[in-house]
Amino acid sequence: MADDRSNLEGDRVRLGTQPPPVEERRRPPQPSQGFDANRPTIVSILYLASFVTGITGLIGIVLAHVWQGENDEEWMASHYSYLIRTFWYAFLAGIVATLLSIVFIGLLMFPIIAIWFGVRSVMSLMKAQRREPMPDPQTLLF
């Protein structure tokens, strides 16, 4: 009987059905080496695509608000806060720039707003790819 059990365990090892050692089961999952299409990444890409399409930023803000309530993982919460604030502050700054365009000061604001919006989107994209939280999601800086 003991001979049969050792033979069965030998078959498992040979067939690769042996469960992984306890140390491997306890390790947290490692970030993938390729592109990770997680939710904050999708919102960031939609924001960046709005430079070309003009409309995907609206889709991104809707998704960010919807997904903010779900919070699948801890690090995502800071990204949603950061991305939502990025959109709404850029939107408000765009309105102010439009109003100030009457006196030509607003025309100088549009490129600054676009750069600020783009840099913040890329910052979130890079951190999301590494599955790291945003260090200070409440800041208006980068």
Side-chain angles (χ1 to χ4, degrees):
M1 184 75 172
D3 218 10
D4 291 337
R5 183 176 290 169
S6 65
N7 193 15
L8 181 62
E9 287 177 12
D11 288 343
R12 279 188 190 165
V13 171
R14 246 181 285 125
L15 295 174
T17 59
Q18 186 73 12
V22 175
E23 300 82 32
E24 285 184 25
R25 285 183 274 175
R26 290 186 185 158
R27 266 190 263 158
Q30 298 296 320
S32 64
Q33 299 299 325
F35 183 77
D36 186 14
N38 54 56
R39 290 177 174 183
T41 297
I42 291 169
V43 174
S44 296
I45 289 172
L46 287 170
Y47 281 5
L48 292 170
S50 69
F51 284 112
V52 177
T53 65
I55 190 95
T56 57
L58 295 174
I59 298 168
I61 190 63
V62 169
L63 288 176
H65 277 290
V66 169
W67 288 338
Q68 183 182 27
E70 295 178 13
N71 283 341
D72 295 335
E73 297 181 39
E74 261 183 59
W75 63 271
M76 287 185 181
S78 65
H79 282 271
Y80 293 134
S81 176
Y82 186 82
L83 289 166
I84 288 170
R85 290 172 60 89
T86 298
F87 178 86
W88 288 116
Y89 279 112
F91 183 76
L92 291 174
I95 291 172
V96 170
T98 301
L99 294 173
L100 290 176
S101 291
I102 296 169
V103 291
F104 299 107
I105 296 172
L107 297 176
L108 299 173
M109 290 177 63
F110 285 119
I112 294 169
I113 295 167
I115 291 168
W116 179 82
F117 186 78
V119 168
R120 283 180 62 99
S121 297
V122 169
M123 294 292 291
S124 179
L125 179 66
M126 290 179 0
K127 293 272 187 186
Q129 286 298 297
R130 293 189 300 254
R131 295 182 170 265
E132 296 175 2
M134 294 306 295
D136 185 12
Q138 302 302 316
T139 187
L140 290 178
L141 301 175
F142 306 108

